[in-house]
Amino acid sequence: MPHLLHLDSSADPRSSASRGVTAAFVQGWQARGAEFTVTSRDLQADPPPHLPDAALHWAPRLRTAEEVVDPAAEAQQQVYLDELLAADVLLVGAPMYNWSLPSTLKAWVDHVHVLGVTVPFGDFEARPLAGRNAVIVSSRGASYDAGGEQASWDHTVPPLELVLGRSFGMTVSVITLQLTLADRVPAMADLRDRAAAEADAARSFAQELAERLTT
Ligand SMILES: Cc1cc2nc3c(=O)[nH]c(=O)nc-3n(C[C@H](O)[C@H](O)[C@H](O)COP(=O)(O)O)c2cc1C
């Protein structure tokens, strides 16, 4: 059965743009049939702890003798790993917070980017997630158009592309919505139409992508 892991990390329970787009993706996915199942995890409502021990960055067999890990922390990490490894497709809602990831999403990444488990290390050459699809939905208040002065300021999408794409070997698609603050910031008033068009396009593209993505 094709299975989707859907993560949201927006701290806005009222009008989150990224949640609107991930919801459209889930709708498109579920429209494919009852066998297209979903696990949704809200990282804002149920935040992962900060990584409690650096030893969790390593598979148990790769830890040093001194790296004895709290069993409760290891069990918590295993929940996140099991959910990720069970997913044929990963969907990540990733708003830009201070040009970077929400801390809840970063904490999740720190739990699942594990050498010798999800990432090859030494004689462990397996990449269990390689070839699977990942979709990043990134909302941002301003604009970071390619070629513009601010294009290099985005530290939200690039680290996710490195972890999911380069390290895990997943095939990564990125959906961005820009100018989400246009409705709120008077100086951005003339950008409202463009912001609304980008939001509509992002929702439509997410739904369409969900309907055709291979699993
Ligand atoms: C804590 C915080 C930090 C933010 N930092 C930035 C930023 O660095 N650049 C930017 O363009 N927008 C920034 N914003 C605006 C959000 O990126 C924007 O509101 C976006 O739509 C949030 O996603 P959401 O609508 O899914 O909650 C920030 C918002 C918050 C709450």
Side-chain angles (χ1 to χ4, degrees):
M1 288 212 300
H3 189 66
L4 172 69
L5 175 59
H6 158 212
L7 305 178
D8 277 319
S9 60
S10 166
D12 178 357
R14 291 165 290 273
S15 58
S16 161
S18 61
R19 287 174 187 269
V21 176
T22 59
F25 187 99
V26 170
Q27 205 178 350
W29 178 263
Q30 289 178 320
R32 294 171 75 170
E35 70 275 26
F36 283 76
T37 55
V38 182
T39 295
S40 289
R41 176 172 283 283
D42 188 332
L43 298 170
Q44 169 66 20
D46 184 13
H50 290 139
L51 195 72
D53 187 333
L56 292 169
H57 189 51
W58 302 89
R61 68 186 180 287
L62 298 176
R63 292 180 198 145
T64 66
E66 292 75 39
E67 288 178 329
V68 178
V69 169
D70 173 7
E74 198 160 30
Q76 175 74 81
Q77 178 183 46
Q78 198 59 49
V79 170
Y80 301 129
L81 283 168
D82 287 346
E83 278 182 356
L84 176 60
L85 291 167
D88 300 292
V89 174
L90 172 66
L91 171 66
V92 184
M96 177 183 282
Y97 282 180
N98 296 309
W99 298 285
S100 181
L101 305 180
S103 56
T104 52
L105 179 55
K106 179 60 164 54
W108 178 86
V109 169
D110 289 341
H111 278 85
V112 299
H113 190 248
V114 185
L115 299 167
V117 177
T118 50
V119 185
F121 185 84
D123 57 5
F124 176 82
E125 293 173 5
R127 295 173 111 203
L129 296 161
R132 300 190 203 180
N133 279 295
V135 179
I136 299 167
V137 175
S138 190
S139 44
R140 57 280 292 278
S143 162
Y144 300 86
D145 286 334
E149 187 204 350
Q150 299 183 1
S152 64
W153 298 2
D154 175 11
H155 302 285
T156 309
V157 173
L160 289 171
E161 287 181 313
L162 284 172
V163 169
L164 304 178
R166 188 180 172 89
S167 279
F168 293 172
M170 302 179 87
T171 302
V172 179
S173 305
V174 180
I175 304 174
T176 53
L177 308 91
Q178 307 203 100
L179 306 170
T180 63
L181 291 177
D183 276 342
R184 184 166 189 152
V185 176
M188 295 172 72
D190 60 334
L191 296 167
R192 283 179 191 158
D193 288 348
R194 185 182 152 194
E198 285 207 20
D200 282 349
R203 281 190 293 271
S204 302
F205 180 66
Q207 187 155 353
E208 183 257 314
L209 185 63
E211 286 166 2
R212 68 171 158 80
L213 215 52
T214 51
T215 58

